[in-house]
Amino acid sequence: MGAIVNRPGQGTRDLTQGPIASTLLLFAIPTLLSNILQSLNGSINAIWVGRFLGAQALAATANANIIMFLMFSVVFGFGMASTVVIAQAVGARDIDAARRAFGSAIGFCSILGLAVATAGWIGAPALLHMLATPPEAYAMALIYLRVIFFAMPATLLVVMVMMGLRGAGDAKTPLIFMIVSVAIDLVLNPVLILGLGPVPAYGIAGSAAATAAAGIVSLIGVIAFLYAKDMPLRLRGPELRYLWPSADQLRVLVGKGLPMGLQMIVMSASGLVMIGLVNREGLLVTAAYGAAQQIWTYLQMPAMAMGAAVSAMAAQNMGAGRWDRISRITGYGIGYLLLVTGAMIVIILLFHEALLSLFLGSNMAAIAAAWNMQLLASWSFMLFGCTMILFGVMRANGVVVAPLVILTFTLFGVRLGFYELAYPALGADALWLSFPAGSATALLLAWAVYARGGWRKAKLMVPVHAEECRETVNSEAEPAGRIAPAG
């Protein structure tokens, strides 16, 4: 039985046609804006909590957020796996396969979210003890964490839906609902923390409830939008059975998703090790590093956004058999990355004192230390970004183990090895120079794997069952869902 081929329709962007340069840029910009909004939201929420509830509450949210990051890392992996499957299916004009992948991802994420919420609510005290949460912050952290776990299914689902939409070529809808989520969170945080107007003051629980409400409203909104606009990934009638993941879909989600999620965890673990080494240098250096990290967070965003955009665009072209476009997609992705990140680095270095004073006030000694870090390490984020582009292209065809091995080796072996060898001669500068040392090695290894080309022979698409195809053909009634390849 052949694949069911449908017109992509509204809400699905064809990334296999037209000029690569403008198509890629227009697709990447909404993802970059979403990332910036999300980071700004986190920073502003931390300001609300720190200013209104004090250092104990801020410590409580920091401890809870470590656990949340680990969960989102895993879900990010599953989301990226579903993104590339959906993108390959859309590229092949097989909308039924895209719906099957989307439904399986949503169903799997729903089950995972419910399990995590239940286990997290029960195990929250043990988790906080495991993290050695300070006693004075424990009670607040427990309340915050349990409210967040309560909302976990909706929060994870909205992430999965947005990633699925990007796989279908739609980066605008996720941006719209990211704006909705951030707006709700920003408004509700001070209202629920302080108890403005008729609303009682809920303190730390109010901050968690604001984040939870934002996630739930966004999920309801994006699902309603999917059906109101009759977007291609919506499921109706017999297609609702796709929400129960089949064994072959689960193999792709777990087999490809876990290594992708582990990449995020490896990067996070490396960051924790680095903080431990920085702490040995004293309070001044730690404060300077904290300020530098705030700026570096934004430097990483073009790499993550462009890597995701390149991955989705490459996957669609692979699905369409347009391998002739893959090298140019990679080239344009690297070009945009170097241009945007390079411009950001120039701005950061030119206005370093004003930017660093936002975090360090008038502490000129700390500003000088942070400036030294910026000079030695900031440019390495261009190398990091190029590596993420190459990983994104390979990921588009389901190659995920090689990137994980390269990241693990460079972040721990190369970076820490460089630090140990260079520290006697360079002192703390060995820490900042370990960034370019690790990034350069990662880029060389990623390029070696990419240039070798073995990743092109991988197979990602889940095989289509003939009986499922037949049932879908017989049940599909909407004119927009009929066999009609887009020109």
Side-chain angles (χ1 to χ4, degrees):
M1 180 74 183
I4 297 172
V5 185
N6 309 84
R7 181 182 292 110
Q10 181 178 348
T12 299
R13 184 184 179 93
D14 187 352
L15 304 177
T16 67
Q17 305 292 329
I20 291 172
S22 58
T23 302
L24 178 60
L25 184 62
L26 291 173
F27 184 56
I29 286 173
T31 304
L32 177 59
L33 292 176
S34 293
N35 290 349
I36 292 172
L37 276 174
Q38 199 166 23
S39 290
L40 283 172
N41 185 43
S43 300
I44 294 170
N45 283 350
I47 292 170
W48 291 141
V49 171
R51 291 286 179 89
F52 296 153
L53 299 175
Q56 292 179 359
L58 195 58
T61 61
N63 277 267
N65 286 338
I66 292 171
I67 298 167
M68 294 303 101
F69 178 83
L70 293 175
M71 282 309 310
F72 278 112
S73 295
V74 175
V75 172
F76 172 83
F78 295 139
M80 282 308 307
S82 66
T83 295
V84 294
V85 174
I86 291 167
Q88 284 203 12
V90 169
R93 304 296 194 273
D94 191 350
I95 299 302
D96 184 66
R99 289 173 183 166
R100 186 181 299 111
F102 184 67
S104 295
I106 295 301
F108 177 73
C109 190
S110 299
I111 296 168
L112 178 67
L114 289 170
V116 167
T118 304
W121 182 279
I122 296 168
L127 284 171
L128 292 173
H129 283 304
M130 194 185 304
L131 287 172
T133 304
E136 58 271 22
Y138 175 83
M140 285 185 172
L142 182 60
I143 294 170
Y144 185 87
L145 191 57
R146 279 186 161 162
V147 174
I148 291 293
F149 270 123
F150 174 79
M152 181 62 67
T155 307
L156 298 185
L157 275 174
V158 78
V159 170
M160 189 68 79
V161 170
M162 289 181 177
M163 294 184 80
L165 289 172
R166 290 191 184 108
D170 179 8
K172 291 181 180 177
T173 301
L175 174 60
I176 290 168
F177 286 96
M178 177 59 70
I179 292 171
V180 170
S181 177
V182 168
I184 292 170
D185 202 359
L186 291 180
V187 170
L188 286 185
N189 246 285
V191 171
L192 295 180
I193 289 173
L194 297 175
L196 302 179
V199 180
Y202 291 104
I204 192 73
S207 179
T211 301
I216 292 168
V217 172
S218 293
L219 177 63
I220 294 169
V222 75
I223 291 174
F225 191 81
L226 277 173
Y227 283 89
K229 296 293 185 181
D230 195 27
M231 298 173 81
L233 293 184
R234 91 288 177 274
L235 306 177
R236 282 206 180 99
E239 293 169 343
L240 291 171
R241 71 183 183 277
Y242 296 159
L243 291 170
W244 186 254
S246 60
D248 50 6
Q249 293 284 349
L250 277 177
R251 275 195 294 273
V252 172
L253 274 175
V254 176
K256 305 298 183 183
L258 278 179
M260 293 184 201
L262 284 172
Q263 288 180 35
M264 298 287 289
I265 293 172
V266 164
M267 287 191 283
S268 177
S270 171
L272 291 174
V273 171
M274 187 62 63
I275 288 172
L277 295 174
V278 170
N279 286 340
R280 296 179 184 179
E281 302 299 322
L283 182 60
L284 179 73
V285 174
T286 300
Y289 182 71
Q293 261 197 321
Q294 288 289 333
I295 293 171
W296 289 342
T297 296
Y298 292 93
L299 273 184
Q300 292 181 69
M301 287 181 185
M304 306 309 288
M306 191 57 68
V310 163
S311 188
M313 188 171 186
Q316 278 201 23
N317 281 270
M318 290 171 189
R322 296 297 310 272
W323 284 90
D324 57 299
R325 289 163 58 91
I326 301 302
S327 294
R328 284 185 292 154
I329 291 169
T330 307
Y332 278 115
I334 289 174
Y336 283 137
L337 183 282
L338 292 174
L339 184 65
V340 175
T341 309
M344 290 176 69
I345 290 171
V346 169
I347 291 169
I348 285 167
L349 295 180
L350 284 176
F351 301 100
H352 71 279
E353 191 168 326
L355 289 170
L356 292 170
S357 66
L358 292 174
F359 307 99
L360 297 170
S362 58
N363 188 331
M364 296 309 296
I367 289 174
W371 164 239
N372 181 57
M373 296 173 197
Q374 300 278 16
L375 279 176
L376 296 179
S378 290
W379 62 276
S380 70
F381 286 93
M382 291 193 291
L383 306 179
F384 168 79
C386 292
T387 304
M388 290 298 104
I389 299 295
L390 296 176
F391 284 170
V393 176
M394 291 187 278
R395 182 175 67 216
N397 208 32
V399 175
V400 293
V401 174
L404 175 61
V405 171
I406 290 171
L407 272 181
T408 304
F409 171 68
T410 54
L411 289 178
F412 287 95
V414 175
R415 187 179 284 184
L416 295 180
F418 179 90
Y419 166 77
E420 290 293 338
L421 291 173
Y423 190 82
L426 301 176
D429 282 353
L431 280 169
W432 327 132
L433 289 172
S434 73
F435 280 82
S439 296
T441 305
L443 179 56
L444 288 172
L445 292 174
W447 178 254
V449 175
Y450 178 86
R452 225 179 125 195
W455 58 273
R456 294 172 178 263
K457 301 173 185 175
K459 297 293 181 185
L460 175 66
M461 289 293 288
V462 174
V464 179
H465 294 299
E467 184 58 31
E468 286 186 351
C469 286
R470 198 173 297 115
E471 287 178 9
T472 308
V473 168
N474 293 334
S475 65
E476 187 69 67
E478 310 95 307
R482 285 296 176 192
I483 299 174

